[in-house]
Amino acid sequence: MSDITSLSAVTRPADARPSPGDIPRSRGNAMWVTDRSGMVGWGRAASRTFSGPDRFTQAQRWFDAVVASATIEDEVARPGTGLTAFGTFSFADESADSSTLTIPATILGWDEQGAWTTTVRSDAASDDETIAPIGHLGKVQWGPGDLDEDRFTDAVSETVAILAEGDIKKVVLARDMRIVSEEPMDERLLVAKLARAFPSCWTFCVEGMIGATPEMMASVRAGHLTTRVLAGSWPTTGGHDAAEYALRSSAKDIAEHRYASDSVLHAIDLQASGPVRANGPTILRLPNVVHLATDFEADLAPGWTGLTAAGAMHPTAAVGGTPTDKALEVIRRIEGLDRGRYAAPVGWMDSQGNADWALALRCAQLEADPRRARAFAGGGVMDRSIPQQELAETEAKFSAILRAFA
């Protein structure tokens, strides 16, 4: 860590929360928006990429070293103030996509108590972005990606046959779609549309990974961890009441949720300094789908952070399967996708130990070509899964991210 650049961060109160038009247009923007709070950042005061099975601990150590060498003046002292980094991580240890932490040169933040501005300076800082009008997408087309509908249903059938042998209980399979727009994609527009459509979700944009996720891996405030597990889903094409009844009556979805909850509970037990409290399963209603949801909370043991907690949980049974190692092998062999940063931790952490690390779901990765993106959706396959029903679940989940591009 001898090459760490010393940073100077200053956080001061601001008059009001920003609007999308107040934010520079840049592919380097970092955004995290909920119905009550949010942060948008641009420019780069410092950034680092990580890879391999220890990428989460690598990233935490780098950020700790940056904080230790920084000068921080924080007049607000609330979650997200002071020195704050945004990150997005690869799903697989061997992914071609690297994991990244970035400390923006400028952050505008807000919560129910007010707004703030953080400016970060270093020799390497870059924040010369210019404000530009919000860009419209023009005509948008989307179509199959590397795993089309027929290949996906074939993959589900093949996986069901493997599950029938009894060694593996659950495998989560994903597929992708390609999105092409007439005009360059404007991250500010996409985030604003997702935040309006899904106010109960966490809307994010980090290193071009953009989405609105309903699933929180590790939210930490003053050493207290909260986690939400979602597994078991039903499309709302027949209405929310019918979808909820079908979900509560589905033995397949109830078992799927239990596997995901057990995997997260086991991980939290290793990190907690006291009892783990659970609430669920309950029903989470979203415009396009209903989920079985269980919320956990616990106090973190010394030495654990939001990022290392998320890293210890990843991949949960909600995005990988049960047992993990065998499920991941099936995913590599049958699904065959490099998921990139889909279904992996995305979020932020600050110098006070606060953090939000969610699962990158209902999302798309913006590509180097500013008119192209790749969207992902998946579902849990069990021995009683029906391929066309699993396909319908991915269609419902795709509808969330496609709202941003419509």
Side-chain angles (χ1 to χ4, degrees):
M1 299 297 180
S2 59
D3 59 341
I4 294 295
T5 301
S6 294
L7 304 181
S8 175
V10 178
T11 300
R12 308 224 189 276
D15 293 335
R17 61 177 289 178
S19 67
D22 297 329
I23 306 163
R25 180 171 185 169
S26 169
R27 276 302 172 96
N29 286 349
M31 302 182 229
W32 185 266
V33 181
T34 74
D35 58 346
R36 295 184 177 89
S37 63
M39 291 182 285
V40 293
W42 60 88
R44 291 177 186 265
S47 185
R48 182 67 64 88
T49 59
F50 313 91
S51 60
D54 63 341
R55 58 196 179 280
F56 301 102
T57 54
Q58 288 179 39
Q60 186 65 58
R61 288 169 184 162
W62 176 77
F63 184 67
D64 289 344
V66 170
V67 171
S69 65
T71 301
I72 302 172
E73 182 183 346
D74 187 354
E75 296 182 5
V76 179
R78 295 204 298 275
T81 65
L83 200 62
T84 299
F86 293 81
T88 176
F89 288 80
S90 63
F91 176 83
D93 296 347
E94 67 277 9
S95 175
D97 278 1
S98 59
S99 305
T100 304
L101 274 185
T102 298
I103 299 172
T106 302
I107 294 176
L108 302 181
W110 68 94
D111 59 20
E112 293 175 311
Q113 300 179 58
W116 66 85
T117 301
T118 298
T119 55
V120 183
R121 294 288 177 261
S122 75
D123 294 338
S126 170
D127 64 350
D128 56 352
E129 309 289 350
T130 57
I131 302 295
I134 300 293
H136 295 286
L137 301 176
K139 184 179 179 180
V140 179
Q141 297 177 314
W142 47 75
D146 296 339
L147 199 68
D148 63 19
E149 294 182 2
D150 289 339
R151 288 184 59 202
F152 179 78
T153 53
D154 288 345
V156 172
S157 296
E158 188 175 350
T159 301
V160 169
I162 293 172
L163 295 176
E165 298 173 4
D167 292 337
I168 306 174
K169 301 301 183 183
K170 173 186 174 182
V171 175
V172 180
L173 293 181
R175 66 186 185 97
D176 59 335
M177 294 183 70
R178 301 287 179 176
I179 305 172
V180 181
S181 62
E182 183 180 9
E183 300 296 334
M185 297 174 182
D186 191 330
E187 295 175 349
R188 303 168 299 174
L189 173 66
L190 301 176
V191 167
K193 292 175 72 174
L194 284 172
R196 284 197 299 267
F198 300 96
S200 62
C201 292
W202 293 271
T203 300
F204 59 88
C205 181
V206 182
E207 296 294 322
M209 175 58 83
I210 185 168
T213 178
E215 191 156 0
M216 175 60 64
M217 291 190 78
S219 179
V220 176
R221 299 292 186 273
H224 188 72
L225 170 73
T226 57
T227 299
R228 172 177 289 172
V229 178
L230 300 182
S233 309
W234 206 274
T236 57
T237 49
H240 279 85
D241 289 342
E244 180 176 340
Y245 177 81
L247 185 58
R248 290 188 182 276
S249 304
S250 170
K252 176 260 183 187
D253 288 284
I254 293 170
E256 180 184 346
H257 185 82
R258 184 175 68 253
Y259 292 139
S261 296
D262 287 349
S263 72
V264 170
L265 179 59
H266 175 71
I268 296 177
D269 271 338
L270 301 177
Q271 307 160 15
S273 63
V276 179
R277 294 168 291 281
N279 177 31
T282 59
I283 295 291
L284 175 66
R285 289 190 171 200
L286 297 175
N288 57 317
V289 69
V290 294
H291 294 285
L292 288 173
T294 296
D295 294 321
F296 295 97
E297 60 176 311
D299 293 323
L300 282 177
W304 287 95
T305 69
L307 180 57
T308 58
M313 296 179 202
H314 178 75
T316 70
V319 295
T322 304
T324 302
D325 291 344
K326 292 183 178 181
L328 292 179
E329 176 55 35
V330 173
I331 290 171
R332 283 189 288 266
R333 179 161 52 89
I334 295 179
E335 178 188 289
L337 294 178
D338 183 346
R339 295 184 176 185
R341 297 162 178 166
Y342 164 71
V346 61
W348 61 270
M349 58 184 177
D350 68 23
S351 50
Q352 306 164 76
N354 303 300
D356 279 341
W357 293 103
L359 273 174
L361 303 174
R362 318 297 194 269
C363 61
Q365 177 70 59
L366 307 185
E367 299 184 350
D369 182 335
R371 294 172 175 82
R372 293 182 177 273
R374 185 184 182 208
F376 297 86
V381 179
M382 306 277 286
D383 60 359
R384 288 163 285 189
S385 289
I386 300 170
Q388 288 298 325
Q389 187 172 309
E390 297 299 332
L391 179 65
E393 180 177 330
T394 63
E395 293 287 354
K397 292 174 178 177
F398 271 129
S399 71
I401 185 63
L402 293 180
R403 288 190 184 203
F405 295 91

